[in-house]
Amino acid sequence: MTLGLFRAITKPLPHPVLLCGADGRVLAANPAAGRCDDRLSPGASLFDLRPDDTAQLRQQLAVWLRSGSPVPGGLVLKDADGCMRRFRCHGARATWWDGPQPAAQLHLVEAGASDRFVMLSNQVEALNREVAFRRATEADRARLLTAEQAARTQLEHLYDLTAALAGAITLAQVSRVVSEVTPPALAATAAELYLHSARLVPPLQPEDNALPVDAGGWTDLDRPSSSGGSPPCDVPGAVPLALPLEADGVHLGTLIVYGSHSSITAEHVRAVTQQIAQALRRAGLHEHEHRVAERLQLSLLPHLPHPPGVRTATCYAPGSDLLSVGGDWYDVYDVDADHIGLSIGDVAGHGLPEATVMAQITAALRNIVPRRGTDPAAVLDELNTFLGRYHPHRMATACYLVFDRRTRTLTYARAGHPPPLLIHADGTSTYLEHAIAPPLGPVRDVCYRQTATTVAEDDTLLLYTDGLIERRREDLMLGMQRLTACARTTTGLDIAELCDRFLHHQPEAAFPDDRALLAARFPAPA
């Protein structure tokens, strides 16, 4: 935890929370502390607020600094008029603090004149903890400790929710946190989200679908077919409670909570709903920026021709962790009357510079292919020269292939790019793993090689970028094995359905990089 996170967590709490150093200096305080006493602010000293009882206060502070869990105690401060103000206080060492001296985290609740805690404090001060009084109040202290334990458990659940929401980036992740972590925080049995998707993710165009892709786990109030227009109450034996969710003045929807929650204070409920609303707002902005990046990326990709003798389909999806455009490309070329060219590649990195290099590479290829398009090795050689000359610090992987309509021969060369997958009509498949060479850019005077294979009728060629098979901390071979397994399920699909099947062959997976696919089917000659 950091001071920033401490302030964010304690800001909505209704009672004062202090972070104090071993010297009694206040290091941080929530707004409730300032409302309670404007002198409880960073830089103030607790010893200055009770100068006539410094020794006892030092002893109490030492107890809190030695404790790993909250310990009840008392804190008596003298206000500006000289009157005593008593506080119930739970304190423990702040193990997350890494400052030059240890610090204690104190939770204060001001006690009234009739409070039993005050009565106990007066008896302790007057009778020096007389044995008879301790026995008489033993049951009351036990109940107080039980109540404090329940409050601490409630606060721990709130911490858990805060941490989980801080790590949730997408709407699906926020929804999962709400369903799994919110019920304990509200002493409930279940929790559901009913949201206005158009307010969470404003559509880029009027015809856009307001429901974000893969953002399941919640009901969309802007789509009557999915919600029926109002939240249902379908959890057996549970009493629903509808809590509004608002952030930045925008009503985002409703949190429906089921179960017993009578012991939860209104302030605690407000703190929970505020955190959920802010997390939803952040996730909606993330989704919106993701869509903008995807729209920009698609605008940079070339419009493909439709030469006779081949049917093509393309798919593209940005990486789940990325909000910037990338360098993936694909293209189709009508080389001459007998040859069709295909290319796919990926400029290393993400951002507008990489997207700019990608656009220049596709333009360079459309200049190179009409002259050298029947010779894949020569195409990559010229492209390597272009990249090294005009972008000497950039690197890209690429694969260029040319299909001869007369002989049904597919000739290809690769520059550090994953091998294309040739899928036969019966669902079996073969990787075109030969003719591999270093990526474009870093190495000059590369001797690119090419090889050829024969394509049967209705064979389908799948070209893809590494984002389709790449996973964190996983060998690429596992991703390639998943593609061959997916190929066995594509029998009978048309070319567009096949391309979409591969793009979403792992619907629950997180894809860290962009996925660009170009599928080409070679039917029998007309």
Side-chain angles (χ1 to χ4, degrees), residues 87-448:
F87 295 86
R88 282 182 288 176
C89 184
H90 274 70
R93 179 166 181 165
T95 55
W96 55 268
W97 173 253
D98 59 355
Q101 61 174 324
Q105 187 169 308
L106 309 181
H107 298 251
L108 283 65
V109 177
E110 187 168 9
S114 61
D115 194 283
R116 296 189 65 85
F117 182 86
V118 177
M119 297 172 60
L120 176 60
S121 299
N122 290 336
Q123 289 290 331
V124 169
E125 294 176 4
L127 304 177
N128 195 23
R129 299 183 179 272
E130 187 178 60
V131 175
F133 182 83
R134 290 204 307 267
R135 291 176 178 176
T137 58
E138 183 177 351
D140 290 337
R141 291 204 310 271
R143 285 194 294 270
L144 179 61
L145 290 175
T146 300
E148 295 294 346
Q149 178 63 38
R152 183 175 66 178
T153 301
Q154 183 176 319
L155 187 59
E156 289 175 351
H157 287 315
L158 184 60
Y159 287 164
D160 292 341
L161 179 63
T162 301
L165 288 175
I169 298 174
T170 66
L171 288 171
Q173 291 170 346
V174 173
S175 175
R176 186 162 54 250
V177 169
V178 169
S179 63
E180 296 175 358
V181 187
T182 299
L186 293 176
T189 57
E192 296 179 346
L193 285 172
Y194 293 83
L195 306 173
H196 293 284
S197 61
R199 301 175 189 176
L200 281 169
V201 188
L204 299 178
Q205 294 180 355
E207 65 273 14
D208 284 349
N209 179 9
L211 184 64
V213 177
D214 297 332
W218 50 275
T219 302
D220 189 357
L221 296 176
D222 292 335
R223 294 169 61 86
S225 60
S226 66
S227 66
S230 62
C233 302
D234 56 358
V235 177
V239 179
L241 175 66
L243 304 172
L245 297 172
E246 295 185 2
D248 301 330
V250 179
H251 178 69
L252 302 177
T254 304
L255 174 68
I256 304 296
V257 179
Y258 301 92
S260 175
H261 36 71
S262 58
S263 62
I264 303 300
T265 65
E267 291 80 5
H268 183 79
V269 171
R270 191 179 304 111
V272 170
T273 55
Q274 285 177 351
Q275 291 195 53
I276 292 175
Q278 290 296 333
L280 288 169
R281 189 66 166 166
R282 291 194 306 269
L285 292 174
H286 177 277
E287 177 69 28
H288 180 70
E289 293 176 5
H290 205 262
R291 286 186 174 192
V292 171
E294 181 179 10
R295 187 68 56 87
L296 178 57
Q297 181 74 52
L298 291 174
S299 70
L300 294 173
L301 293 172
H303 297 284
L304 304 185
H306 300 283
V310 63
R311 293 196 295 271
T312 60
T314 60
C315 291
Y316 171 81
S320 56
D321 296 343
L322 302 173
L323 296 178
S324 57
V325 291
D328 293 18
W329 87 83
Y330 47 68
D331 209 346
V332 177
Y333 315 91
D334 195 357
V335 181
D336 56 36
D338 298 321
H339 297 88
I340 300 169
L342 305 162
S343 76
I344 193 163
D346 181 7
V347 177
H350 280 84
L352 285 175
E354 288 75 12
T356 302
V357 174
M358 176 269 285
Q360 293 181 12
I361 286 177
T362 56
L365 278 170
R366 291 198 166 187
N367 176 268
I368 296 170
V369 168
R371 297 182 288 103
R372 309 294 297 273
T374 59
D375 187 348
V379 170
L380 292 186
D381 181 69
E382 283 203 32
L383 192 59
N384 186 46
T385 301
F386 167 82
L387 194 62
R389 177 177 300 167
Y390 296 104
H391 301 283
H393 302 296
R394 296 290 180 184
M395 183 182 74
T397 65
C399 181
Y400 177 79
L401 311 92
V402 61
F403 175 66
D404 190 325
R405 295 186 181 93
R406 299 167 304 171
T407 63
R408 300 191 65 81
T409 299
L410 185 67
T411 307
Y412 64 94
R414 295 192 292 141
H417 201 78
L421 183 64
L422 186 61
I423 307 169
H424 308 299
D426 61 358
T428 60
S429 58
T430 305
Y431 279 108
L432 306 184
E433 298 180 310
H434 302 291
I436 185 64
L440 303 169
V443 182
R444 300 291 184 89
D445 301 324
V446 176
C447 181
Y448 290 99

Side-chain angles (χ1 to χ4, degrees), residues 6 18-22 27 61 64-65 91-94 97 102-106:
F6 173 84
L18 304 177
L19 182 68
C20 293
L27 302 176
L61 185 59
W64 287 328
L65 288 170
R93 179 166 181 165
W97 173 253
Q105 187 169 308
L106 309 181

